[in-house]
Amino acid sequence: MNQDIIDDYQSEAEIFKSLAHPTRLFIVHAIHDKKLSVKELTEMIGVDISTVSKHLDILKRHKIIVGEKHKNNVFYTLNIPCVLDFMSCANRILNKS
Amino acid sequence: MNQDIIDDYQSEAEIFKSLAHPTRLFIVHAIHDKKLSVKELTEMIGVDISTVSKHLDILKRHKIIVGEKHKNNVFYTLNIPCVLDFMSCANRILNKS
DNA sequence: ATGCTATTTGGTAGAATAGCCAAATAGCTT
DNA sequence: AAGCTATTTGGCTATTCTACCAAATAGCAT
């Protein structure tokens, strides 16, 4: 593997990778218009809360979302609106078949 | 895992997944303004041609790119310009730290 | 401080991914 | 047909990812 290409595109690929999971896409949509806590998201998604926390951590580390703590809840918000634009784009791809 | 969420977002996640690799992002950029064959891309990337062929297959199956055959070469073109828009968006994320 | 709720972290097993090599296929061109 | 080039496919390992459970941490509230 050519190391230069890796260097150039690795961090960009990380962004895509962080979105490349149904649960994480659901989260992005869900917090688009409403701040939600880990617990609330967990109830909506229906997997173990530790799994949800790890998904949130991935999105947070890549700055897709931002968390703010109130009492002992962490509420998450979407940091990158253009993600949703690309999701519309992706859906156009899917539907134009 | 809640099956409904999987069903709703799985295919969308596939799009992101297909772009979540440095080599595939390189390909998307490289064929943006110029049709390129598997062999040409392989020379630019520097991995085994079978690896490149598999990357191209992933992008093709998700309709990110389109291949057309001339003689015994297959030339690839970008099918989804909005991918590049999102890549700009991704880079804004990266640089705003 | 003790409990109570929310969140994160560590560990682990199973699935998926990406690379290489080798072999198969496709399709010109003699 | 036989040779040549380009591409794809199969098989195999090594690595990465994801889900669960259990345990640790954080922080309010009694």
Side-chain angles (χ1 to χ4, degrees):
Chain A
M1 165 60 74
N2 184 321
Q3 196 57 43
D4 293 339
I5 291 180
I6 286 195
D7 291 350
D8 284 356
Y9 291 98
Q10 184 66 52
S11 51
E12 209 165 315
E14 295 290 336
I15 303 275
F16 282 95
K17 212 184 318 183
S18 71
L19 291 163
H21 192 285
T23 299
R24 295 197 287 273
L25 289 179
F26 171 82
I27 291 170
V28 166
H29 268 125
I31 66 176
H32 164 229
D33 50 4
K34 187 176 186 334
K35 297 179 182 188
L36 292 168
S37 69
V38 184
K39 185 173 193 292
E40 288 170 320
L41 285 164
T42 299
E43 284 158 0
M44 297 165 91
I45 295 167
V47 290
D48 195 273
I49 193 167
S50 69
T51 303
V52 174
S53 177
K54 282 171 185 172
H55 281 307
L56 289 165
D57 183 54
I58 290 168
L59 292 169
K60 192 172 23 175
R61 281 205 314 273
H62 293 94
K63 301 177 188 156
I64 312 288
I65 66 175
V66 169
E68 53 177 306
K69 196 151 198 168
H70 288 141
K71 300 201 172 187
N72 55 350
N73 299 272
V74 181
F75 291 96
Y76 284 96
T77 336
L78 187 58
N79 192 37
I80 308 295
C82 60
V83 169
L84 292 169
D85 296 337
F86 182 66
M87 288 167 86
S88 309
C89 160
N91 279 309
R92 282 199 300 280
I93 300 174
L94 293 169
N95 299 331
K96 82 148 72 169
S97 63
Chain B
M1 165 60 75
N2 184 320
Q3 196 56 44
D4 293 339
I5 290 180
I6 285 196
D7 290 349
D8 283 356
Y9 290 98
Q10 184 66 53
S11 53
E12 208 165 315
E14 295 290 338
I15 303 273
F16 282 94
K17 213 185 315 183
S18 71
L19 291 162
H21 192 284
T23 299
R24 294 197 287 272
L25 289 179
F26 171 82
I27 290 170
V28 165
H29 268 125
I31 67 177
H32 164 229
D33 50 6
K34 187 175 182 341
K35 299 178 180 187
L36 292 168
S37 69
V38 184
K39 185 173 193 291
E40 288 170 320
L41 285 165
T42 300
E43 284 159 1
M44 298 164 90
I45 294 167
V47 290
D48 195 273
I49 192 167
S50 69
T51 302
V52 174
S53 177
K54 282 170 184 174
H55 281 307
L56 289 165
D57 183 55
I58 290 169
L59 292 169
K60 192 173 23 177
R61 281 204 314 272
H62 293 93
K63 300 178 189 158
I64 311 287
I65 66 176
V66 169
E68 53 178 307
K69 196 151 199 169
H70 287 142
K71 301 200 172 188
N72 55 351
N73 299 272
V74 181
F75 291 96
Y76 284 96
T77 336
L78 188 58
N79 191 38
I80 308 294
C82 60
V83 168
L84 292 169
D85 296 337
F86 182 67
M87 289 167 87
S88 309
C89 161
N91 279 310
R92 283 198 299 281
I93 300 173
L94 293 169
N95 299 332
K96 83 148 70 165
S97 64

